[in-house]
Amino acid sequence: GACCSYRLRDALHPLWQSPLTIPGGTRQSPINIQWRDSVYDPFLKPLKISYDPTTCLHIWNNGYSFLVEFDDSTDRSIIVGGPLENQYRLKQFHFHWGAINEWGSEHTVDSKFYPAELHLVHWNAVVYPTFEEAVMEGNGLAVIGVFLKLGAHHEGLQTLVDALPAVKHKDTVVEFDVFDPSCLIPSCPDYWTYAGSLTTPPLTESVTWIIKKQPIEVDENQLEAFRMLLFTSDGEEEKRMVDNFRPLQPLMNRTVRSSFQ
Ligand code: SG5
Ligand code: ZN
């Protein structure tokens, strides 16, 4: 069935030439968020987001997703609060999406998939000297997850969508200076949080996940623009960049906390 074909595609994709699972992993991502099993934590603070649009550098098709990367040499684009003890610096954001609207997100809520999911990847520059070191440590990374649902046209996302034809092929990069990704984060402050991992190799268990409850709305044309990207380089037989998400992982001995009742 469909489930097995994703595993096959993952196994064949160059990014996944390392193992599909971490032996002995106890906090892997993504997970299904079971709303009624999440525990309200009144001590969770509101998440504060402060991004400097001029730290945005470029868009890069890395052959698995497209990444918008930021200058993270200073504390100009940061998040604080929420479940975090330190401030974390924005490194990049990217998306995961499906071939069709019935799936595409990595996390699910009550077993429901969204057609796409945005990840804003931040690292703990207070404690670690480099991103590469933060990737290896328990409190090294904080990723904000935002679900995309089908609905109204999204003005902020369109700026990005307009740049995608320039990075159609794997290993292409275009300049993309001045973009504020906070326009992609829903206004509702509610989130779930849990301790997890990267969803791509090296799959390290270094991520504090912050999943926004409210999705953003995007229109069909915008999702279709994602699906026009290619996994492949110029000159290779074209393979559409779709279904670039990892299968759900077991919750094991973890609690998902919510900032809301
Ligand atoms: C790490 O995880 C990876 C990203 C990857 C996300 O941030 O970086 C490293 O491991 C470098 C040490 O990979 C790159 O930036 C390419 C070198 O992002 C992707 O591969 C795009 C999907 C994955 O983060 S996630 O867990 O939020 N999905
Ligand atoms: Zn991701």
PDB file of all heavy atoms in Angstrom, residues 15 29 60 62 64-67 69 91-92 94-96 106 119-121 131-132 135 141 143 197-202 204 207 209 244, ligand 1:
ATOM      1  N   LEU A  15      19.516  10.785   0.986  1.00  0.00           N
ATOM      2  CA  LEU A  15      19.546  11.253   2.376  1.00  0.00           C
ATOM      3  C   LEU A  15      19.385  10.084   3.340  1.00  0.00           C
ATOM      4  O   LEU A  15      19.821  10.136   4.477  1.00  0.00           O
ATOM      5  CB  LEU A  15      18.410  12.259   2.574  1.00  0.00           C
ATOM      6  CG  LEU A  15      18.462  13.109   3.822  1.00  0.00           C
ATOM      7  CD1 LEU A  15      19.582  14.123   3.715  1.00  0.00           C
ATOM      8  CD2 LEU A  15      17.148  13.812   4.043  1.00  0.00           C
ATOM      9  N   SER A  29      11.082  11.266  16.323  1.00  0.00           N
ATOM     10  CA  SER A  29      10.022  12.096  15.733  1.00  0.00           C
ATOM     11  C   SER A  29       9.857  11.712  14.261  1.00  0.00           C
ATOM     12  O   SER A  29      10.801  11.221  13.653  1.00  0.00           O
ATOM     13  CB  SER A  29      10.405  13.573  15.829  1.00  0.00           C
ATOM     14  OG  SER A  29      10.491  13.980  17.172  1.00  0.00           O
ATOM     15  N   TRP A  60      17.469  27.105  -0.909  1.00  0.00           N
ATOM     16  CA  TRP A  60      18.324  26.038  -1.400  1.00  0.00           C
ATOM     17  C   TRP A  60      17.503  24.758  -1.543  1.00  0.00           C
ATOM     18  O   TRP A  60      16.835  24.342  -0.589  1.00  0.00           O
ATOM     19  CB  TRP A  60      19.458  25.852  -0.375  1.00  0.00           C
ATOM     20  CG  TRP A  60      20.391  24.711  -0.600  1.00  0.00           C
ATOM     21  CD1 TRP A  60      20.869  24.283  -1.800  1.00  0.00           C
ATOM     22  CD2 TRP A  60      20.961  23.855   0.403  1.00  0.00           C
ATOM     23  NE1 TRP A  60      21.715  23.222  -1.611  1.00  0.00           N
ATOM     24  CE2 TRP A  60      21.791  22.936  -0.271  1.00  0.00           C
ATOM     25  CE3 TRP A  60      20.864  23.782   1.781  1.00  0.00           C
ATOM     26  CZ2 TRP A  60      22.506  21.946   0.401  1.00  0.00           C
ATOM     27  CZ3 TRP A  60      21.574  22.810   2.463  1.00  0.00           C
ATOM     28  CH2 TRP A  60      22.398  21.906   1.772  1.00  0.00           C
ATOM     29  N   ASN A  62      17.872  21.116  -1.434  1.00  0.00           N
ATOM     30  CA  ASN A  62      18.923  20.188  -0.990  1.00  0.00           C
ATOM     31  C   ASN A  62      18.626  18.749  -1.423  1.00  0.00           C
ATOM     32  O   ASN A  62      19.257  17.812  -0.940  1.00  0.00           O
ATOM     33  CB  ASN A  62      19.151  20.296   0.526  1.00  0.00           C
ATOM     34  CG  ASN A  62      18.105  19.572   1.358  1.00  0.00           C
ATOM     35  OD1 ASN A  62      17.012  19.288   0.879  1.00  0.00           O
ATOM     36  ND2 ASN A  62      18.432  19.277   2.609  1.00  0.00           N
ATOM     37  N   TYR A  64      15.899  17.122  -0.865  1.00  0.00           N
ATOM     38  CA  TYR A  64      14.901  16.465  -0.003  1.00  0.00           C
ATOM     39  C   TYR A  64      13.762  17.409   0.320  1.00  0.00           C
ATOM     40  O   TYR A  64      12.613  17.012   0.472  1.00  0.00           O
ATOM     41  CB  TYR A  64      15.552  15.958   1.288  1.00  0.00           C
ATOM     42  CG  TYR A  64      14.626  15.109   2.112  1.00  0.00           C
ATOM     43  CD1 TYR A  64      14.269  13.830   1.669  1.00  0.00           C
ATOM     44  CD2 TYR A  64      14.088  15.572   3.313  1.00  0.00           C
ATOM     45  CE1 TYR A  64      13.398  13.044   2.412  1.00  0.00           C
ATOM     46  CE2 TYR A  64      13.217  14.787   4.052  1.00  0.00           C
ATOM     47  CZ  TYR A  64      12.878  13.529   3.599  1.00  0.00           C
ATOM     48  OH  TYR A  64      12.009  12.753   4.326  1.00  0.00           O
ATOM     49  N   SER A  65      14.106  18.719   0.434  1.00  0.00           N
ATOM     50  CA  SER A  65      13.121  19.769   0.660  1.00  0.00           C
ATOM     51  C   SER A  65      13.744  21.039   0.112  1.00  0.00           C
ATOM     52  O   SER A  65      14.831  20.996  -0.468  1.00  0.00           O
ATOM     53  CB  SER A  65      12.820  19.903   2.157  1.00  0.00           C
ATOM     54  OG  SER A  65      11.837  20.904   2.406  1.00  0.00           O
ATOM     55  N   PHE A  66      13.051  22.186   0.271  1.00  0.00           N
ATOM     56  CA  PHE A  66      13.770  23.433   0.021  1.00  0.00           C
ATOM     57  C   PHE A  66      13.947  24.114   1.366  1.00  0.00           C
ATOM     58  O   PHE A  66      13.058  24.097   2.214  1.00  0.00           O
ATOM     59  CB  PHE A  66      13.057  24.321  -1.012  1.00  0.00           C
ATOM     60  CG  PHE A  66      11.726  24.860  -0.586  1.00  0.00           C
ATOM     61  CD1 PHE A  66      11.619  26.082   0.063  1.00  0.00           C
ATOM     62  CD2 PHE A  66      10.564  24.154  -0.856  1.00  0.00           C
ATOM     63  CE1 PHE A  66      10.393  26.584   0.455  1.00  0.00           C
ATOM     64  CE2 PHE A  66       9.320  24.642  -0.465  1.00  0.00           C
ATOM     65  CZ  PHE A  66       9.236  25.864   0.192  1.00  0.00           C
ATOM     66  N   LEU A  67      15.150  24.653   1.570  1.00  0.00           N
ATOM     67  CA  LEU A  67      15.502  25.275   2.838  1.00  0.00           C
ATOM     68  C   LEU A  67      15.698  26.763   2.627  1.00  0.00           C
ATOM     69  O   LEU A  67      16.368  27.165   1.682  1.00  0.00           O
ATOM     70  CB  LEU A  67      16.824  24.718   3.369  1.00  0.00           C
ATOM     71  CG  LEU A  67      16.852  23.365   4.070  1.00  0.00           C
ATOM     72  CD1 LEU A  67      16.593  22.250   3.083  1.00  0.00           C
ATOM     73  CD2 LEU A  67      18.196  23.158   4.738  1.00  0.00           C
ATOM     74  N   GLU A  69      17.614  29.626   4.406  1.00  0.00           N
ATOM     75  CA  GLU A  69      18.660  29.685   5.425  1.00  0.00           C
ATOM     76  C   GLU A  69      18.921  31.118   5.873  1.00  0.00           C
ATOM     77  O   GLU A  69      18.770  32.066   5.092  1.00  0.00           O
ATOM     78  CB  GLU A  69      19.934  29.049   4.895  1.00  0.00           C
ATOM     79  CG  GLU A  69      19.707  27.556   4.617  1.00  0.00           C
ATOM     80  CD  GLU A  69      20.987  26.796   4.388  1.00  0.00           C
ATOM     81  OE1 GLU A  69      21.664  27.071   3.382  1.00  0.00           O
ATOM     82  OE2 GLU A  69      21.309  25.928   5.228  1.00  0.00           O
ATOM     83  N   LYS A  91      18.108  29.013  12.326  1.00  0.00           N
ATOM     84  CA  LYS A  91      19.109  28.520  11.361  1.00  0.00           C
ATOM     85  C   LYS A  91      18.512  28.425   9.946  1.00  0.00           C
ATOM     86  O   LYS A  91      19.119  28.857   8.974  1.00  0.00           O
ATOM     87  CB  LYS A  91      19.592  27.146  11.830  1.00  0.00           C
ATOM     88  CG  LYS A  91      20.355  26.317  10.827  1.00  0.00           C
ATOM     89  CD  LYS A  91      21.800  26.689  10.779  1.00  0.00           C
ATOM     90  CE  LYS A  91      22.598  25.745   9.879  1.00  0.00           C
ATOM     91  NZ  LYS A  91      23.932  26.292   9.614  1.00  0.00           N
ATOM     92  N   GLN A  92      17.339  27.804   9.873  1.00  0.00           N
ATOM     93  CA  GLN A  92      16.691  27.591   8.571  1.00  0.00           C
ATOM     94  C   GLN A  92      15.242  27.197   8.787  1.00  0.00           C
ATOM     95  O   GLN A  92      14.853  26.795   9.875  1.00  0.00           O
ATOM     96  CB  GLN A  92      17.412  26.481   7.793  1.00  0.00           C
ATOM     97  CG  GLN A  92      17.585  25.169   8.559  1.00  0.00           C
ATOM     98  CD  GLN A  92      16.734  24.002   8.050  1.00  0.00           C
ATOM     99  OE1 GLN A  92      15.613  24.173   7.599  1.00  0.00           O
ATOM    100  NE2 GLN A  92      17.280  22.799   8.152  1.00  0.00           N
ATOM    101  N   HIS A  94      12.055  24.922   6.501  1.00  0.00           N
ATOM    102  CA  HIS A  94      11.764  24.068   5.341  1.00  0.00           C
ATOM    103  C   HIS A  94      10.384  23.462   5.539  1.00  0.00           C
ATOM    104  O   HIS A  94       9.764  23.652   6.595  1.00  0.00           O
ATOM    105  CB  HIS A  94      12.833  22.967   5.222  1.00  0.00           C
ATOM    106  CG  HIS A  94      12.850  22.063   6.420  1.00  0.00           C
ATOM    107  ND1 HIS A  94      13.632  22.296   7.523  1.00  0.00           N
ATOM    108  CD2 HIS A  94      12.117  20.953   6.719  1.00  0.00           C
ATOM    109  CE1 HIS A  94      13.412  21.362   8.439  1.00  0.00           C
ATOM    110  NE2 HIS A  94      12.487  20.547   7.978  1.00  0.00           N
ATOM    111  N   PHE A  95       9.928  22.729   4.543  1.00  0.00           N
ATOM    112  CA  PHE A  95       8.594  22.123   4.607  1.00  0.00           C
ATOM    113  C   PHE A  95       8.679  20.633   4.266  1.00  0.00           C
ATOM    114  O   PHE A  95       9.650  20.171   3.671  1.00  0.00           O
ATOM    115  CB  PHE A  95       7.657  22.776   3.581  1.00  0.00           C
ATOM    116  CG  PHE A  95       7.403  24.253   3.793  1.00  0.00           C
ATOM    117  CD1 PHE A  95       8.325  25.206   3.355  1.00  0.00           C
ATOM    118  CD2 PHE A  95       6.243  24.689   4.414  1.00  0.00           C
ATOM    119  CE1 PHE A  95       8.085  26.561   3.525  1.00  0.00           C
ATOM    120  CE2 PHE A  95       5.992  26.047   4.586  1.00  0.00           C
ATOM    121  CZ  PHE A  95       6.921  26.989   4.146  1.00  0.00           C
ATOM    122  N   HIS A  96       7.629  19.925   4.654  1.00  0.00           N
ATOM    123  CA  HIS A  96       7.395  18.541   4.223  1.00  0.00           C
ATOM    124  C   HIS A  96       5.993  18.527   3.619  1.00  0.00           C
ATOM    125  O   HIS A  96       5.103  19.178   4.162  1.00  0.00           O
ATOM    126  CB  HIS A  96       7.461  17.580   5.407  1.00  0.00           C
ATOM    127  CG  HIS A  96       8.763  17.656   6.164  1.00  0.00           C
ATOM    128  ND1 HIS A  96       9.806  16.787   5.952  1.00  0.00           N
ATOM    129  CD2 HIS A  96       9.193  18.509   7.127  1.00  0.00           C
ATOM    130  CE1 HIS A  96      10.818  17.105   6.745  1.00  0.00           C
ATOM    131  NE2 HIS A  96      10.477  18.158   7.468  1.00  0.00           N
ATOM    132  N   GLU A 106       4.367  15.694   8.830  1.00  0.00           N
ATOM    133  CA  GLU A 106       5.110  14.661   9.560  1.00  0.00           C
ATOM    134  C   GLU A 106       4.350  14.298  10.826  1.00  0.00           C
ATOM    135  O   GLU A 106       4.042  13.136  11.072  1.00  0.00           O
ATOM    136  CB  GLU A 106       6.522  15.161   9.886  1.00  0.00           C
ATOM    137  CG  GLU A 106       7.346  15.379   8.622  1.00  0.00           C
ATOM    138  CD  GLU A 106       8.826  15.179   8.836  1.00  0.00           C
ATOM    139  OE1 GLU A 106       9.420  15.906   9.652  1.00  0.00           O
ATOM    140  OE2 GLU A 106       9.404  14.281   8.173  1.00  0.00           O
ATOM    141  N   HIS A 119       8.699  23.570   9.225  1.00  0.00           N
ATOM    142  CA  HIS A 119       9.621  23.430  10.360  1.00  0.00           C
ATOM    143  C   HIS A 119      10.597  24.595  10.394  1.00  0.00           C
ATOM    144  O   HIS A 119      11.352  24.793   9.433  1.00  0.00           O
ATOM    145  CB  HIS A 119      10.420  22.121  10.249  1.00  0.00           C
ATOM    146  CG  HIS A 119       9.585  20.912  10.506  1.00  0.00           C
ATOM    147  ND1 HIS A 119       9.934  19.658  10.071  1.00  0.00           N
ATOM    148  CD2 HIS A 119       8.411  20.775  11.175  1.00  0.00           C
ATOM    149  CE1 HIS A 119       8.997  18.797  10.461  1.00  0.00           C
ATOM    150  NE2 HIS A 119       8.062  19.452  11.120  1.00  0.00           N
ATOM    151  N   LEU A 120      10.598  25.329  11.495  1.00  0.00           N
ATOM    152  CA  LEU A 120      11.582  26.403  11.712  1.00  0.00           C
ATOM    153  C   LEU A 120      12.602  25.878  12.712  1.00  0.00           C
ATOM    154  O   LEU A 120      12.271  25.605  13.878  1.00  0.00           O
ATOM    155  CB  LEU A 120      10.877  27.647  12.246  1.00  0.00           C
ATOM    156  CG  LEU A 120       9.840  28.256  11.281  1.00  0.00           C
ATOM    157  CD1 LEU A 120       8.507  28.419  11.966  1.00  0.00           C
ATOM    158  CD2 LEU A 120      10.330  29.584  10.727  1.00  0.00           C
ATOM    159  N   VAL A 121      13.834  25.686  12.237  1.00  0.00           N
ATOM    160  CA  VAL A 121      14.889  25.015  13.012  1.00  0.00           C
ATOM    161  C   VAL A 121      15.761  26.066  13.711  1.00  0.00           C
ATOM    162  O   VAL A 121      16.326  26.944  13.056  1.00  0.00           O
ATOM    163  CB  VAL A 121      15.761  24.129  12.090  1.00  0.00           C
ATOM    164  CG1 VAL A 121      16.849  23.416  12.891  1.00  0.00           C
ATOM    165  CG2 VAL A 121      14.901  23.119  11.330  1.00  0.00           C
ATOM    166  N   PHE A 131      26.225  25.130  15.402  1.00  0.00           N
ATOM    167  CA  PHE A 131      25.011  24.367  15.087  1.00  0.00           C
ATOM    168  C   PHE A 131      25.311  22.872  15.080  1.00  0.00           C
ATOM    169  O   PHE A 131      24.549  22.071  15.629  1.00  0.00           O
ATOM    170  CB  PHE A 131      24.462  24.814  13.725  1.00  0.00           C
ATOM    171  CG  PHE A 131      23.300  24.000  13.225  1.00  0.00           C
ATOM    172  CD1 PHE A 131      22.039  24.167  13.783  1.00  0.00           C
ATOM    173  CD2 PHE A 131      23.461  23.070  12.208  1.00  0.00           C
ATOM    174  CE1 PHE A 131      20.955  23.414  13.341  1.00  0.00           C
ATOM    175  CE2 PHE A 131      22.389  22.317  11.757  1.00  0.00           C
ATOM    176  CZ  PHE A 131      21.144  22.493  12.319  1.00  0.00           C
ATOM    177  N   GLU A 132      26.432  22.492  14.469  1.00  0.00           N
ATOM    178  CA  GLU A 132      26.793  21.067  14.336  1.00  0.00           C
ATOM    179  C   GLU A 132      26.924  20.390  15.700  1.00  0.00           C
ATOM    180  O   GLU A 132      26.564  19.222  15.850  1.00  0.00           O
ATOM    181  CB  GLU A 132      28.083  20.914  13.530  1.00  0.00           C
ATOM    182  CG  GLU A 132      27.932  21.183  12.038  1.00  0.00           C
ATOM    183  CD  GLU A 132      27.659  22.647  11.660  1.00  0.00           C
ATOM    184  OE1 GLU A 132      28.031  23.566  12.458  1.00  0.00           O
ATOM    185  OE2 GLU A 132      27.047  22.895  10.609  1.00  0.00           O
ATOM    186  N   VAL A 135      23.345  19.995  17.268  1.00  0.00           N
ATOM    187  CA  VAL A 135      22.599  18.891  16.652  1.00  0.00           C
ATOM    188  C   VAL A 135      22.775  17.590  17.435  1.00  0.00           C
ATOM    189  O   VAL A 135      21.905  16.727  17.442  1.00  0.00           O
ATOM    190  CB  VAL A 135      23.056  18.707  15.174  1.00  0.00           C
ATOM    191  CG1 VAL A 135      22.653  17.354  14.599  1.00  0.00           C
ATOM    192  CG2 VAL A 135      22.516  19.831  14.295  1.00  0.00           C
ATOM    193  N   LEU A 141      18.557  21.752  19.995  1.00  0.00           N
ATOM    194  CA  LEU A 141      17.700  22.316  18.956  1.00  0.00           C
ATOM    195  C   LEU A 141      16.275  22.544  19.450  1.00  0.00           C
ATOM    196  O   LEU A 141      15.793  21.846  20.345  1.00  0.00           O
ATOM    197  CB  LEU A 141      17.643  21.376  17.737  1.00  0.00           C
ATOM    198  CG  LEU A 141      18.962  20.993  17.061  1.00  0.00           C
ATOM    199  CD1 LEU A 141      18.690  20.031  15.906  1.00  0.00           C
ATOM    200  CD2 LEU A 141      19.706  22.213  16.549  1.00  0.00           C
ATOM    201  N   VAL A 143      12.579  23.116  17.348  1.00  0.00           N
ATOM    202  CA  VAL A 143      11.913  23.249  16.052  1.00  0.00           C
ATOM    203  C   VAL A 143      10.449  23.605  16.277  1.00  0.00           C
ATOM    204  O   VAL A 143       9.744  22.926  17.034  1.00  0.00           O
ATOM    205  CB  VAL A 143      12.030  21.965  15.198  1.00  0.00           C
ATOM    206  CG1 VAL A 143      11.368  22.173  13.830  1.00  0.00           C
ATOM    207  CG2 VAL A 143      13.487  21.548  15.009  1.00  0.00           C
ATOM    208  N   SER A 197      13.307  14.165  18.136  1.00  0.00           N
ATOM    209  CA  SER A 197      14.531  14.038  17.333  1.00  0.00           C
ATOM    210  C   SER A 197      14.391  14.808  16.024  1.00  0.00           C
ATOM    211  O   SER A 197      13.299  15.257  15.660  1.00  0.00           O
ATOM    212  CB  SER A 197      14.766  12.562  16.992  1.00  0.00           C
ATOM    213  OG  SER A 197      13.837  12.123  16.009  1.00  0.00           O
ATOM    214  N   LEU A 198      15.495  14.899  15.282  1.00  0.00           N
ATOM    215  CA  LEU A 198      15.420  15.293  13.884  1.00  0.00           C
ATOM    216  C   LEU A 198      14.636  14.212  13.137  1.00  0.00           C
ATOM    217  O   LEU A 198      14.681  13.038  13.504  1.00  0.00           O
ATOM    218  CB  LEU A 198      16.820  15.423  13.287  1.00  0.00           C
ATOM    219  CG  LEU A 198      17.649  16.600  13.790  1.00  0.00           C
ATOM    220  CD1 LEU A 198      19.065  16.516  13.239  1.00  0.00           C
ATOM    221  CD2 LEU A 198      17.011  17.929  13.415  1.00  0.00           C
ATOM    222  N   THR A 199      13.943  14.605  12.080  1.00  0.00           N
ATOM    223  CA  THR A 199      13.184  13.629  11.290  1.00  0.00           C
ATOM    224  C   THR A 199      13.931  13.218  10.030  1.00  0.00           C
ATOM    225  O   THR A 199      13.399  12.495   9.199  1.00  0.00           O
ATOM    226  CB  THR A 199      11.800  14.187  10.906  1.00  0.00           C
ATOM    227  OG1 THR A 199      11.974  15.289  10.008  1.00  0.00           O
ATOM    228  CG2 THR A 199      11.022  14.632  12.137  1.00  0.00           C
ATOM    229  N   THR A 200      15.149  13.727   9.871  1.00  0.00           N
ATOM    230  CA  THR A 200      16.038  13.309   8.775  1.00  0.00           C
ATOM    231  C   THR A 200      17.359  12.882   9.416  1.00  0.00           C
ATOM    232  O   THR A 200      17.634  13.284  10.554  1.00  0.00           O
ATOM    233  CB  THR A 200      16.316  14.476   7.810  1.00  0.00           C
ATOM    234  OG1 THR A 200      17.058  15.494   8.500  1.00  0.00           O
ATOM    235  CG2 THR A 200      15.035  15.078   7.252  1.00  0.00           C
ATOM    236  N   PRO A 201      18.154  12.078   8.702  1.00  0.00           N
ATOM    237  CA  PRO A 201      19.472  11.792   9.241  1.00  0.00           C
ATOM    238  C   PRO A 201      20.181  13.092   9.618  1.00  0.00           C
ATOM    239  O   PRO A 201      20.013  14.074   8.886  1.00  0.00           O
ATOM    240  CB  PRO A 201      20.180  11.094   8.073  1.00  0.00           C
ATOM    241  CG  PRO A 201      19.050  10.465   7.290  1.00  0.00           C
ATOM    242  CD  PRO A 201      17.921  11.448   7.410  1.00  0.00           C
ATOM    243  N   PRO A 202      20.879  13.182  10.753  1.00  0.00           N
ATOM    244  CA  PRO A 202      21.313  12.064  11.605  1.00  0.00           C
ATOM    245  C   PRO A 202      20.290  11.584  12.645  1.00  0.00           C
ATOM    246  O   PRO A 202      20.654  10.763  13.485  1.00  0.00           O
ATOM    247  CB  PRO A 202      22.553  12.647  12.281  1.00  0.00           C
ATOM    248  CG  PRO A 202      22.308  14.128  12.359  1.00  0.00           C
ATOM    249  CD  PRO A 202      21.470  14.468  11.170  1.00  0.00           C
ATOM    250  N   THR A 204      19.193  12.617  15.302  1.00  0.00           N
ATOM    251  CA  THR A 204      19.655  12.759  16.684  1.00  0.00           C
ATOM    252  C   THR A 204      18.532  13.266  17.587  1.00  0.00           C
ATOM    253  O   THR A 204      17.663  14.024  17.169  1.00  0.00           O
ATOM    254  CB  THR A 204      20.861  13.717  16.760  1.00  0.00           C
ATOM    255  OG1 THR A 204      20.621  14.832  15.905  1.00  0.00           O
ATOM    256  CG2 THR A 204      22.134  13.013  16.325  1.00  0.00           C
ATOM    257  N   VAL A 207      15.976  17.496  19.825  1.00  0.00           N
ATOM    258  CA  VAL A 207      14.987  18.526  19.473  1.00  0.00           C
ATOM    259  C   VAL A 207      13.897  18.676  20.529  1.00  0.00           C
ATOM    260  O   VAL A 207      13.256  17.705  20.926  1.00  0.00           O
ATOM    261  CB  VAL A 207      14.321  18.211  18.112  1.00  0.00           C
ATOM    262  CG1 VAL A 207      13.311  19.300  17.745  1.00  0.00           C
ATOM    263  CG2 VAL A 207      15.355  18.057  17.004  1.00  0.00           C
ATOM    264  N   TRP A 209      10.456  19.911  20.457  1.00  0.00           N
ATOM    265  CA  TRP A 209       9.438  20.227  19.447  1.00  0.00           C
ATOM    266  C   TRP A 209       8.375  21.146  20.036  1.00  0.00           C
ATOM    267  O   TRP A 209       7.918  20.943  21.168  1.00  0.00           O
ATOM    268  CB  TRP A 209       8.785  18.939  18.923  1.00  0.00           C
ATOM    269  CG  TRP A 209       9.649  18.258  17.905  1.00  0.00           C
ATOM    270  CD1 TRP A 209      10.545  17.253  18.121  1.00  0.00           C
ATOM    271  CD2 TRP A 209       9.711  18.571  16.517  1.00  0.00           C
ATOM    272  NE1 TRP A 209      11.169  16.926  16.943  1.00  0.00           N
ATOM    273  CE2 TRP A 209      10.666  17.713  15.939  1.00  0.00           C
ATOM    274  CE3 TRP A 209       9.051  19.499  15.684  1.00  0.00           C
ATOM    275  CZ2 TRP A 209      10.987  17.755  14.585  1.00  0.00           C
ATOM    276  CZ3 TRP A 209       9.361  19.536  14.341  1.00  0.00           C
ATOM    277  CH2 TRP A 209      10.318  18.662  13.800  1.00  0.00           C
ATOM    278  N   ASN A 244       7.955  13.913   1.093  1.00  0.00           N
ATOM    279  CA  ASN A 244       9.268  14.012   1.755  1.00  0.00           C
ATOM    280  C   ASN A 244       9.108  14.099   3.277  1.00  0.00           C
ATOM    281  O   ASN A 244       9.659  14.970   3.916  1.00  0.00           O
ATOM    282  CB  ASN A 244      10.056  15.210   1.200  1.00  0.00           C
ATOM    283  CG  ASN A 244       9.293  16.517   1.309  1.00  0.00           C
ATOM    284  OD1 ASN A 244       8.132  16.532   1.711  1.00  0.00           O
ATOM    285  ND2 ASN A 244       9.942  17.619   0.973  1.00  0.00           N
TER     286      ASN A 244
HETATM  287  C1  SG5 B   1      19.045  19.263  10.488  1.00  0.00           C
HETATM  288  O1  SG5 B   1      17.791  18.634  10.386  1.00  0.00           O
HETATM  289  C2  SG5 B   1      19.787  18.995   9.208  1.00  0.00           C
HETATM  290  C3  SG5 B   1      19.005  19.578   8.063  1.00  0.00           C
HETATM  291  C4  SG5 B   1      17.625  18.937   8.053  1.00  0.00           C
HETATM  292  C5  SG5 B   1      16.948  19.098   9.373  1.00  0.00           C
HETATM  293  O2  SG5 B   1      18.857  20.643  10.699  1.00  0.00           O
HETATM  294  O3  SG5 B   1      21.069  19.586   9.251  1.00  0.00           O
HETATM  295  C6  SG5 B   1      22.076  18.788   9.689  1.00  0.00           C
HETATM  296  O4  SG5 B   1      21.903  17.725  10.178  1.00  0.00           O
HETATM  297  C7  SG5 B   1      23.469  19.361   9.521  1.00  0.00           C
HETATM  298  C8  SG5 B   1      24.339  18.918  10.672  1.00  0.00           C
HETATM  299  O5  SG5 B   1      19.652  19.272   6.852  1.00  0.00           O
HETATM  300  C9  SG5 B   1      20.270  20.280   6.200  1.00  0.00           C
HETATM  301  O6  SG5 B   1      20.245  21.418   6.561  1.00  0.00           O
HETATM  302  C10 SG5 B   1      20.986  19.835   4.981  1.00  0.00           C
HETATM  303  C11 SG5 B   1      22.465  19.704   5.283  1.00  0.00           C
HETATM  304  O7  SG5 B   1      16.840  19.586   7.078  1.00  0.00           O
HETATM  305  C12 SG5 B   1      16.541  18.942   5.947  1.00  0.00           C
HETATM  306  O8  SG5 B   1      17.124  17.989   5.534  1.00  0.00           O
HETATM  307  C13 SG5 B   1      15.348  19.507   5.221  1.00  0.00           C
HETATM  308  C14 SG5 B   1      14.156  18.614   5.403  1.00  0.00           C
HETATM  309  C15 SG5 B   1      15.680  18.326   9.475  1.00  0.00           C
HETATM  310  O9  SG5 B   1      14.986  18.915  10.529  1.00  0.00           O
HETATM  311  S1  SG5 B   1      13.641  18.462  11.033  1.00  0.00           S
HETATM  312  O10 SG5 B   1      13.838  17.439  12.028  1.00  0.00           O
HETATM  313  O11 SG5 B   1      13.058  19.666  11.517  1.00  0.00           O
HETATM  314  N1  SG5 B   1      12.749  17.858   9.889  1.00  0.00           N
END
